[in-house]
Amino acid sequence: MTTWFRTYYEDEDLWLYFEADDEGWAARQVEVRGQDSRPVSAASLEEVLHLRDHADLAALGRYERQYGVLAEAVLDGWQDQPQAAEISADEFERLWVEARRILGVSG
């Protein structure tokens, strides 16, 4: 079952929003700076896998510079992280669309 949740990374003042698949891997991830609510990443596992399988390392590097890097571990224990909470699919989708719009323009 897909889950959507957020956690807060205090050391970096970042809100991390995840769409996790039924095995607990990040399918999509958005990071938003707490200070100014500006998105700093919006990465998708599907896009990363497509680039890995159909492009070269340079293309993957460009993607990561523009959209950031996706979490590379199972997201177990997120409930124990600071300010962790489940969010709705709609809330995640709104954040995703806005982050991709902003990062797409600036990237």
Side-chain angles (χ1 to χ4, degrees):
M1 180 168 112
T2 302
T3 56
W4 297 267
F5 62 92
R6 69 157 197 234
T7 63
Y8 181 66
Y9 186 50
E10 189 173 3
D11 291 347
E12 300 288 329
D13 189 25
L14 282 177
W15 285 98
L16 288 78
Y17 297 87
F18 294 97
E19 176 183 72
D21 67 17
D22 49 349
E23 294 180 359
W25 292 91
R28 294 188 293 171
Q29 175 179 337
V30 176
E31 296 178 5
V32 178
R33 272 194 311 241
Q35 179 181 13
D36 58 7
S37 298
R38 179 159 174 81
V40 294
S41 76
S44 160
L45 180 60
E46 183 178 327
E47 293 170 350
V48 168
L49 292 176
H50 178 80
L51 287 169
R52 182 197 70 189
D53 295 343
H54 301 289
D56 57 20
L57 285 176
L60 186 55
R62 286 189 300 274
Y63 178 90
E64 289 179 347
R65 283 190 297 282
Q66 183 166 2
Y67 295 113
V69 177
L70 197 63
E72 296 181 2
V74 174
L75 302 169
D76 288 340
W78 65 265
Q79 300 90 335
D80 302 326
Q81 298 301 312
Q83 302 185 46
E86 282 196 52
I87 61 174
S88 70
D90 288 341
E91 181 179 354
F92 182 89
E93 198 61 35
R94 284 191 300 274
L95 286 161
W96 175 261
V97 168
E98 180 66 5
R100 290 305 286 249
R101 183 187 66 77
I102 290 170
L103 295 171
V105 169
S106 65

